[in-house]
Every structure is written in C-alpha cells, then in structure tokens.
Amino acid sequence: MASGNRDFWQDRLSQDWSETGVGYRALGKQFNMWMYRLRREVFLREIRESPIDPASSRVFDIGSGTGFYVRLWKELGAAEITGSDITAAAVANLRERFPEHEFHEFDATDPQLPVPEGSFDVVNAMDILFHITDDAGHDQAIRNAWRLLRPGGWFVFSENFLHVPEQRGPRQANRSRHRIERSLLGAGFEVVRHTPMFVLMNAQVDSGWLRRRAWGAAMRAATSLPPLGWAAGAALYPLEKRLVRAMPEGPSTELMICRKPA
C-alpha cells in the first residue's frame, strides 16, 4: 500500500480512533453504530456456520483498526489472536486496549511478513482489501494471507465483488468478482462461503450510477443529524438482518471464506 495511504490512515486514526473513524464517516456516528451491529451479526453467524473451529484456531487479523474483529474473535473463543495495522497510532492503541494479545505494524501489501509463514489457522481481513488501490498490492495481500496460513487454514475477508464496471478512486478500488476470484485462485485458495454483509445500509457499489447517486443522497439526508441517523439505522436494521440472510448476493460489501488446501 502506498505511503500516502499510510499517512492518510495515520492522520485519520490519530484524530478519531473509533468505529466511525474507520467506518463510513459521512453517515455519522449513530448510523455507523447500527452498521457495526449488522457487521457483528453477519460475521458471527458465518463463522459459527462455517467449518472453522475458533477454539482451536490461531487467528491473524490484518488491519485491526480499533479492534472490532479482535473482540469478535475473543467472543468466539479463539485460542490465540495476533493483530496488525498499517498505522503506528492504531497499533499503540490496540496494545493498550488488548494487552493480552500481540500486535504488529504491518502493511498488507508488504511481502516481508511480521511473523513466521504458516503460523496461523485463520487469517482475517475485513474491510481492508478494497482500500488497496493498486492491483499488484491487492494480489500481494492475498498471497500474504496464503503465506500466513498453515495448510488447511481459512481466509476470512470482505470485498465488494462487482458485477458492474470497476470503480477506482484515490482511497478505494471496487474490483470485479472475476478479478478477485482470479487472484484468490492464483494464490491457491478454494472458495467455501460467500454472503452479503449489507443490502440497503451501505453504499450500493454493485449497482448502476443512478442507483448509487440516489442512495447516497437519500442516506446523507436521513443521517444529517445524530437523532435521524439513529432512527434510520433502527428502522433499517431488522429488515437488513432478514435480507442478508435471504439473499445469496447483494449490491454492497460481502463476506467470503476461503480455504488453503491441506
């Protein structure tokens, strides 16, 4: 990942080390709270319904941020959790918040790993890969996940998996599902599970231009004040829980679980 991205996240997390700081800031703290509640719901369900056994798993978390997924792996009873982040600010805060765990300053695109290869049963990379804007770095991050895993280990991550034309900006690259799966297969992974994390509550990236613009305008209006953001989240959350369970794919971020063959 380019040093500019490191500087961007270092500055952002130094100012706001919270779920809003790493989340969708334009929608405000109250709506982000509901978004993270939904992330928790989907993530815990998918891990519990997958073949992964947290109690016997050593987990390496890429892009730990505020430690949201560190807490979820703790809740699942993971045997051991090692975290990482691209910024020194996040790593310092994580070490203070979770003194029982080990954290490393690590750029997911760096071929130099901070720990020995093949040391982990699970590698976790949530809401990280689409922030790697160059394709070579994205491919390296996936290869790094492979290298960190023991044979038979699991790669758990979120991406946007577009069917519409790819979208690229200075801080985010929304890639096609074909490109992402080609990179996964090139590294040697087998796809095991795939499910929406959002349907209505997050940006409609896998949709046409008009729908994306309409969603953005509607959500900015609905979350323009904290009470409105809380009410919008409270209204959408019960419906969203049903949709992410019922739909095989969605127009926004999705969770995938892959396996490194034994």
Side-chain angles (χ1 to χ4, degrees), residues 85-104:
D85 199 86
I86 193 173
T87 70
V91 170
N93 288 328
L94 287 161
R95 286 171 176 166
E96 183 175 348
R97 177 173 286 181
F98 304 101
E100 71 276 26
H101 300 304
E102 183 178 306
F103 293 93
H104 299 271

Side-chain angles (χ1 to χ4, degrees), residues 47-67:
I47 298 301
R48 287 168 174 156
E49 293 182 3
S50 78
I52 298 171
D53 176 19
S56 63
S57 294
R58 300 182 68 204
V59 178
F60 188 90
D61 184 38
I62 297 175
S64 299
T66 61

Side-chain angles (χ1 to χ4, degrees), residues 33-69:
M33 288 172 59
W34 287 103
M35 293 179 76
Y36 272 92
R37 185 172 176 180
L38 185 66
R39 285 183 175 97
R40 177 182 182 276
E41 170 82 20
V42 174
F43 184 84
L44 292 179
R45 183 197 76 211
E46 285 299 297
I47 298 301
R48 287 168 174 156
E49 293 182 3
S50 78
I52 298 171
D53 176 19
S56 63
S57 294
R58 300 182 68 204
V59 178
F60 188 90
D61 184 38
I62 297 175
S64 299
T66 61
F68 179 78
Y69 290 98

Side-chain angles (χ1 to χ4, degrees), residues 196-225:
M197 293 197 76
F198 296 97
V199 176
L200 300 175
M201 290 178 71
N202 201 6
Q204 307 289 282
V205 292
D206 199 12
S207 304
W209 177 86
L210 186 59
R211 179 172 170 178
R212 296 199 305 271
R213 291 294 297 270
W215 181 92
M219 292 306 298
R220 283 192 294 272
T223 60
S224 57
L225 296 171

Side-chain angles (χ1 to χ4, degrees), residues 11-177:
D11 181 64
R12 181 160 161 170
L13 292 180
S14 295
Q15 296 179 41
D16 183 7
W17 193 61
S18 69
E19 269 69 55
T20 307
V22 296
Y24 201 143
R25 294 180 78 178
L27 301 184
K29 180 178 180 179
Q30 297 301 318
F31 193 79
N32 267 275
M33 288 172 59
W34 287 103
M35 293 179 76
Y36 272 92
R37 185 172 176 180
L38 185 66
R39 285 183 175 97
R40 177 182 182 276
E41 170 82 20
V42 174
F43 184 84
L44 292 179
R45 183 197 76 211
E46 285 299 297
I47 298 301
R48 287 168 174 156
E49 293 182 3
S50 78
I52 298 171
D53 176 19
S56 63
S57 294
R58 300 182 68 204
V59 178
F60 188 90
D61 184 38
I62 297 175
S64 299
T66 61
F68 179 78
Y69 290 98
V70 173
R71 289 194 296 270
L72 294 189
W73 282 108
K74 284 169 64 73
E75 184 174 340
L76 288 162
E80 182 181 320
I81 305 167
T82 300
S84 67
D85 199 86
I86 193 173
T87 70
V91 170
N93 288 328
L94 287 161
R95 286 171 176 166
E96 183 175 348
R97 177 173 286 181
F98 304 101
E100 71 276 26
H101 300 304
E102 183 178 306
F103 293 93
H104 299 271
E105 188 174 339
F106 173 56
D107 182 334
T109 69
D110 189 343
Q112 183 66 43
L113 299 179
V115 292
E117 292 191 21
S119 299
F120 296 91
D121 304 288
V122 179
V123 170
N124 191 72
M126 302 299 294
D127 296 342
I128 296 300
L129 297 181
F130 48 70
H131 288 302
I132 301 172
T133 54
D134 65 290
D135 291 336
H138 186 269
D139 289 344
Q140 183 64 53
I142 290 175
R143 287 195 297 270
N144 284 346
W146 169 274
R147 294 166 62 209
L148 287 163
L149 287 168
R150 64 163 179 79
W154 304 93
F155 182 32
V156 181
F157 68 101
S158 61
E159 264 280 17
N160 288 322
F161 299 106
L162 299 192
H163 297 86
V164 300
E166 295 186 350
Q167 304 145 20
R168 294 174 182 265
R171 305 296 176 199
Q172 185 162 322
N174 298 323
R175 296 175 172 86
S176 70
R177 178 166 180 174

Side-chain angles (χ1 to χ4, degrees), residues 219-242:
M219 292 306 298
R220 283 192 294 272
T223 60
S224 57
L225 296 171
L228 293 177
W230 188 93
L236 286 172
Y237 177 74
L239 173 60
E240 191 81 318
K241 280 182 64 176
R242 293 194 291 272

